[in-house]
């Protein structure tokens, strides 16, 4: 093959790979409202019907979408909204207010945000209101265009709903639910939360005004469905501009997912977390290795990505400890074995450490007690240990009961990979009690 032909092929492959990277990264990181929903068809139908009744028939509603993080609550909401806004009559009439408990940390901030999103700053102006309820009522009144039938429906979407529960007296929630129960402006209040006990956190007066509609997302699909989602997310669509490359890519994805090592890695990931975001993270890490010389995702890419996804952050912190701090961790491990997981204090750890120093007769491991105390406090700052009880201001530091936040397996794994670990320390770690 001539050099010119080879150069042209590389350029074509480079363009294809660039398009693949852009397409798949966007799919993994920013799922569009038109992307396919997995395992949420029934919940989608329920939510769509509820929003339609508010937007078209002027019926007020309230509901909670409840599910663990990464289960698709926001994606479900986006899909339902997209479908709703396809109707011209709805698109021109409905108003949306999006609030987030992480941003609107109190009711005053929330009310300002509602005013801004509804474009009512000029209506409110310098008016002075007696209460939050009066302010909210005035805002909703300003949206009316006559009788109830001609009033703009308002859709309130509250992300991190459980954080709004902690606002003083739950005033915002009370007023929103109160309006949704009364014959005023038609509104729908949709809360998104990962707290299963959310209803227990609501005050009685708020709970009585909530409709008690709850939509649960629990990632109920099995591994077969999980594997098919993985295949679907990695495959290129039929409208991909380079048809030949797309066919080769999809054929390679098919053979990749049939490999036993990849199957096992995906099964481990599935048992670790059914969260699709963690699957997308794994696929994203594997995709980042695709280049012109390496145009397809390989088995080793998936295995390496799986290892990175499952990396233990606490064990990584242990790798960066000083030898003294690492010795204190081992002393705590032995104390846990001796006292069967009961809390310990600094004095007990120090005594255990001194036994090791005296037994080995090494001055290299011998430190003054204040230095050891400083190392112990550093471990607490790194959250590798924590107080077992509430700290008392008059208690002596040496005798505060603490708990180790690492288990034996994590410590033993850290021993194996600890950089330049002294042989004496390694032997002490692997030895049985004392």
């Amino acid at each position: 093959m001539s050099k010119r032909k080879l150069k042209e092929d590389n350029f074509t492959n480079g363009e294809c790979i660039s398009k693949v990277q852009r397409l798949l990264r966007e799919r993994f990181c920013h799922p569009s409202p038109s992307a396919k929903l997995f395992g949420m068809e029934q919940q989608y139908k329920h939510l769509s019907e509820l929003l339609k009744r508010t937007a078209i028939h002027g019926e007020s509603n309230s509901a909670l979408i409840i599910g663990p993080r990464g289960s698709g609550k926001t994606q479900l909401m986006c899909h339902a909204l997209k479908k709703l806004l396809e109707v011209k009559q709805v698109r021109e009439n409905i108003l949306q207010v999006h609030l987030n408990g992480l941003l609107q940390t109190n009711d005053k901030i929330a009310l300002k945000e509602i005013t801004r999103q509804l474009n009512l700053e000029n209506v409110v102006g310098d008016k002075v209101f007696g209460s939050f309820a009066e302010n909210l009522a005035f805002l909703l009144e300003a949206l009316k265009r006559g009788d109830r039938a001609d009033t703009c429906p308002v859709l309130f979407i509250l992300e991190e709903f459980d954080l709004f529960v902690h606002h003083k007296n739950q005033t915002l929630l009370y007023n929103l639910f109160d309006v949704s129960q009364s014959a005023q402006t038609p509104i729908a209040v949709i809360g998104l939360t990962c707290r299963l006990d959310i209803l227990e956190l609501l005050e009685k007066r708020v709970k009585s005004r909530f409709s008690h509609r709850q939509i649960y997302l629990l990632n109920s699909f099995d591994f077969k469905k999980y594997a098919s989602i993985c295949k679907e997310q990695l495959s290129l669509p039929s409208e991909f501009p380079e048809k030949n490359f797309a066919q080769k890519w999809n054929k390679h994805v098919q053979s990749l997912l049939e490999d036993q090592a990849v199957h096992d890695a995906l099964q481990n990931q599935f048992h670790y977390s059914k969260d699709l975001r963690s699957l997308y993270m794994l696929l994203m890490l594997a995709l980042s290795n695709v280049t012109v010389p390496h145009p397809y995702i390989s088995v080793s890419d998936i295995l390496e990505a799986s290892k990175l996804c499952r990396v233990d952050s606490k064990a990584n912190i242990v790798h960066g400890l000083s030898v003294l701090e690492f010795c204190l961790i081992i002393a705590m491990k032995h104390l846990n074995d001796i006292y069967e997981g009961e809390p310990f204090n600094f004095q007990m750890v120090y005594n255990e450490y001194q036994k090791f120093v005296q037994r080995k007769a090494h001055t290299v491991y011998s430190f003054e007690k204040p230095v050891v105390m400083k190392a112990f406090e550093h471990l607490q700052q790194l959250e590798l240990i924590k107080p077992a009880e509430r700290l008392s201001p008059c208690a002596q530091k040496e005798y505060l009961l603490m708990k180790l936040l690492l288990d034996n397996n994590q410590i033993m794994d850290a021993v194996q990979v600890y950089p330049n670990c002294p042989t004496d320390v390694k032997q002490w770690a692997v030895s049985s009690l004392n």
Side-chain angles (χ1 to χ4, degrees):
M1 187 185 287
S2 68
K3 287 185 179 179
R4 185 176 177 182
K5 180 68 176 170
L6 187 66
K7 193 173 180 181
E8 283 176 359
D9 285 352
N10 279 346
F11 177 72
T12 307
N13 278 347
E15 277 192 329
C16 289
I17 286 164
S18 179
K19 286 173 184 173
V20 169
Q21 290 271 14
R22 195 180 308 117
L23 178 83
L24 295 186
R25 282 173 191 273
E26 196 168 324
R27 189 185 285 175
F28 298 149
C29 299
H30 307 287
S32 71
S34 55
K36 191 174 177 183
L37 285 174
F38 299 107
M40 294 187 274
E41 293 77 12
Q42 196 174 346
Q43 293 91 331
Y44 170 72
K45 188 178 177 183
H46 185 176
L47 182 61
S48 294
E49 282 298 317
L50 191 144
L51 295 178
K52 203 179 288 181
R53 288 202 297 271
T54 300
I56 297 172
H57 305 298
E59 178 187 310
S60 290
N61 281 303
S62 57
L64 287 175
I65 302 174
I66 302 171
R69 295 203 181 278
S71 57
K73 299 182 292 295
T74 303
Q75 194 178 2
L76 174 66
M77 191 74 232
C78 290
H79 272 71
L81 276 176
K82 181 180 180 292
K83 183 72 175 174
L84 187 70
L85 296 174
E86 284 173 0
V87 182
K88 187 180 178 183
Q89 176 197 349
V90 173
R91 189 168 60 247
E92 293 174 351
N93 196 35
I94 197 167
L95 297 168
Q96 298 177 48
V97 176
H98 294 261
L99 302 177
N100 191 308
L102 294 168
L103 301 175
Q104 285 76 47
T105 51
N106 61 50
D107 288 346
K108 190 176 179 182
I109 298 171
L111 196 61
K112 278 186 179 178
E113 185 60 18
I114 293 169
T115 307
R116 187 190 68 78
Q117 291 191 32
L118 295 177
N119 297 319
L120 292 174
E121 294 100 326
N122 59 333
V123 178
V124 176
D126 298 323
K127 294 184 185 294
V128 177
F129 297 93
S131 68
F132 181 90
E134 287 175 16
N135 205 334
L136 183 63
F138 178 79
L139 286 177
L140 294 172
E141 190 68 33
L143 298 172
K144 293 191 177 181
R145 298 191 313 206
D147 59 14
R148 180 179 171 80
D150 293 328
T151 302
C152 279
V154 189
L155 176 60
F156 287 88
I157 300 162
L158 278 63
E159 297 255 11
E160 305 291 344
F161 181 84
D162 48 290
L163 297 181
F164 287 99
V165 169
H166 300 300
H167 291 190
K168 188 180 178 183
N169 299 329
Q170 299 182 2
T171 310
L172 175 68
L173 298 181
Y174 171 79
N175 283 284
L176 287 178
F177 287 151
D178 191 50
V179 172
S180 73
Q181 288 281 354
S182 60
Q184 298 177 31
T185 307
I187 75 168
V189 183
I190 311 294
L192 285 71
T193 180
C194 57
R195 291 285 297 263
L196 291 172
D197 61 342
I198 187 65
L199 288 182
E200 303 303 317
L201 302 176
L202 294 176
E203 289 182 6
K204 193 174 180 182
R205 65 188 188 124
V206 179
K207 199 186 293 186
S208 66
R209 283 161 175 77
F210 174 53
S211 68
H212 288 263
R213 286 191 185 89
Q214 295 161 71
I215 300 170
Y216 287 95
L217 300 179
L218 298 172
N219 286 348
S220 54
F221 44 76
D222 56 10
F223 177 70
K224 191 177 177 182
K225 179 68 176 172
Y226 186 83
S228 72
I229 291 170
C230 181
K231 181 184 174 184
E232 196 165 326
Q233 292 300 94
L234 276 178
S235 300
L236 296 177
S238 55
E239 60 269 18
F240 189 77
E242 303 292 336
K243 305 293 181 188
N244 290 338
F245 185 86
Q247 284 176 3
K248 287 178 186 174
W249 176 276
N250 291 343
K251 194 174 177 182
H252 187 84
V253 167
Q254 176 70 37
S255 63
L256 177 74
L257 296 176
E258 287 171 359
D259 187 278
Q260 189 59 44
V262 172
H263 181 274
D264 293 344
L266 287 176
Q267 198 151 38
N268 286 339
Q269 184 69 20
F270 174 75
H271 292 311
Y272 179 68
S273 170
K274 288 186 180 180
D275 176 356
L276 289 181
R277 280 192 302 202
S278 62
L279 172 65
Y280 296 160
M281 176 56 74
L282 184 148
L283 298 180
M284 173 72 88
L285 290 169
L287 177 69
S288 64
N289 290 322
V290 173
T291 57
V292 173
H294 180 69
Y296 303 107
I297 296 173
S298 66
V299 174
S300 60
D301 292 335
I302 294 286
L303 298 181
E304 188 61 34
S306 176
K307 201 181 293 181
L308 284 171
C309 285
R310 299 288 297 279
V311 74
D312 190 333
S313 58
K314 275 198 165 57
N316 276 351
I317 293 173
V318 175
H319 302 162
L321 297 178
S322 67
V323 174
L324 171 58
E325 289 164 344
F326 195 52
C327 286
L328 294 183
I329 292 284
I330 295 168
M332 293 172 205
K333 170 190 175 291
H334 286 311
L335 286 172
N336 270 347
D337 292 341
I338 295 167
Y339 298 109
E340 299 179 344
E342 288 296 310
F344 51 81
N345 58 37
F346 169 74
Q347 193 60 48
M348 293 164 69
V349 175
Y350 183 71
N351 292 343
E352 192 70 22
Y353 170 67
Q354 285 298 103
K355 285 182 196 174
F356 163 69
V357 173
Q358 289 162 11
R359 192 164 58 246
K360 295 298 177 184
H362 272 310
T363 54
V364 70
Y365 301 125
S366 184
F367 295 93
E368 295 293 325
K369 193 172 182 180
V371 176
V372 181
M373 183 63 172
K374 199 74 179 170
F376 188 80
E377 288 173 346
H378 186 232
L379 293 177
Q380 188 177 345
Q381 288 171 359
L382 292 172
E383 297 184 359
L384 296 176
I385 57 175
K386 71 166 187 178
E389 55 194 22
R390 183 174 287 184
L391 296 178
S392 170
C394 56
Q396 284 183 278
K397 289 192 292 185
E398 292 89 336
Y399 301 104
L400 286 173
L401 290 176
M402 310 292 284
K403 277 190 172 180
L404 180 62
L405 299 178
L406 295 164
D407 62 32
N408 283 5
N409 290 334
Q410 288 174 306
I411 295 169
M412 296 314 297
D413 289 344
V415 167
Q416 301 305 318
V417 293
Y418 187 83
N420 304 318
C421 184
T423 307
D424 291 337
V425 174
K426 194 175 282 190
Q427 288 173 350
W428 182 37
V430 298
S431 67
S432 57
L433 308 182
N434 284 343

